[in-house]
Amino acid sequence: MRLPRFSGAIIAIKGSFFTKNRKRGVPPNLFLEFFPFLVALLEIPVYSTYMFAIERINLIQKYLREHQQVDVKTLRELLNVSEVTIRRDLEKLEQEGFLLRTHGGAILTDSVSLVSTRPGTGTTEYSEIGKIASRLIQEGEFILLLAGNLTRQLARFLFQFSQITVLTNDIVIAGEISATQKNRCVLLGGEVSGQDQAVYGTLTLDDLERFHVDRVFVEVDGVSRDLDLSVTTQEKALLIRSARQRTGELVILCEAEGFYKNAFFSFGKARSGDIMVTDRHVSDEVKQHLFNANIKLFTTIDIYEGTP
């Protein structure tokens, strides 16, 4: 619940009281003795431009414990201070491990787990797909990693770089990147999905419009014979479709069992020049199909399949 701000009104009342009562000969210190009791009686929270940093920090912590996430605009209105001050406070709390900053706000770290418990995560095949995909990245690039178990495995291998910028909607990936403190990470704003531990929605799509990246890495759940790409949720499909317009190269991560299958939501077809990374169990038929479509393929046995 947003707390009301009464500082301006109270200060005005206080000043008016002094002015009138000086004329009447009432000692000013009587008001100083009475004013705190008035505030306590009415239970009015008093905020002012001169609020101490420790008070701001405590209020930010209280708000996040109640809401799990917050944006800078809300805090600016709540605390009546500049965005620069708010961002400085959020940076301090992030250094203390209390929150994770997003683009335009912050998320309470206690509300998410930085270790995924979804099936498959951490297996050898997943890890190898992430490792192969990481070899497509070059130092100094701007990349977008959209939420997924395979992209999370990819994030684990980014420690070998020190000058890349990672844009993501995945809270787990953001935690992985920020923990190494070697590369820059920008977490998109939006509504947190507890199931995926990622942000989605209109705010995320709007935020994405501000960026352009060298390549986008996405995890898909299905690749049909017609090369339709699909995922299990609508919000993910919408985000991938928008992300595709913000890059010159799309890298598609998919388990071998996902080929020649369809998930519920389609977001487009694989195109000539796209790159796919999968595990060693992919069939020769799929390899030939992708070769004919001029789609580059990498597998976990580290053999390049595709056009030179």
Side-chain angles (χ1 to χ4, degrees), residues 5-6 109-110 128 213 283:
R5 292 179 287 122
F6 294 97
T109 53
D110 289 346
E128 286 298 314
V213 295
S283 69

Side-chain angles (χ1 to χ4, degrees), residues 179-222:
T180 64
Q181 298 183 345
K182 296 182 67 176
N183 297 295
R184 182 187 180 194
C185 183
V186 178
L187 181 60
L188 292 167
E191 184 175 349
V192 178
S193 168
Q195 180 180 1
D196 291 344
Q197 298 185 16
V199 294
Y200 294 101
T202 303
L203 289 176
T204 310
L205 293 171
D206 290 343
D207 209 5
L208 183 60
E209 292 295 318
R210 308 173 189 223
F211 302 96
H212 184 86
V213 295
D214 295 300
R215 55 179 52 88
V216 174
F217 292 83
V218 302
E219 177 181 343
V220 301
D221 301 299

Side-chain angles (χ1 to χ4, degrees), residues 31 89 135 255 296:
F31 179 82
D89 290 342
R135 296 179 181 177
E255 294 178 86
K296 302 174 184 177

Side-chain angles (χ1 to χ4, degrees), residues 93-112:
L93 286 170
E94 184 179 46
Q95 292 173 351
E96 294 175 358
F98 181 79
L99 57 80
L100 185 64
R101 283 188 297 166
T102 68
H103 191 259
I107 296 173
L108 182 67
T109 53
D110 289 346
S111 65
V112 297

Side-chain angles (χ1 to χ4, degrees), residues 67-86:
H67 299 84
Q68 281 71 58
Q69 65 182 91
V70 69
D71 57 73
V72 172
K73 181 180 178 181
T74 297
L75 289 177
R76 184 188 64 193
E77 294 174 353
L78 176 65
L79 303 177
N80 195 28
V81 293
S82 69
E83 287 193 9
V84 173
T85 300
I86 294 297

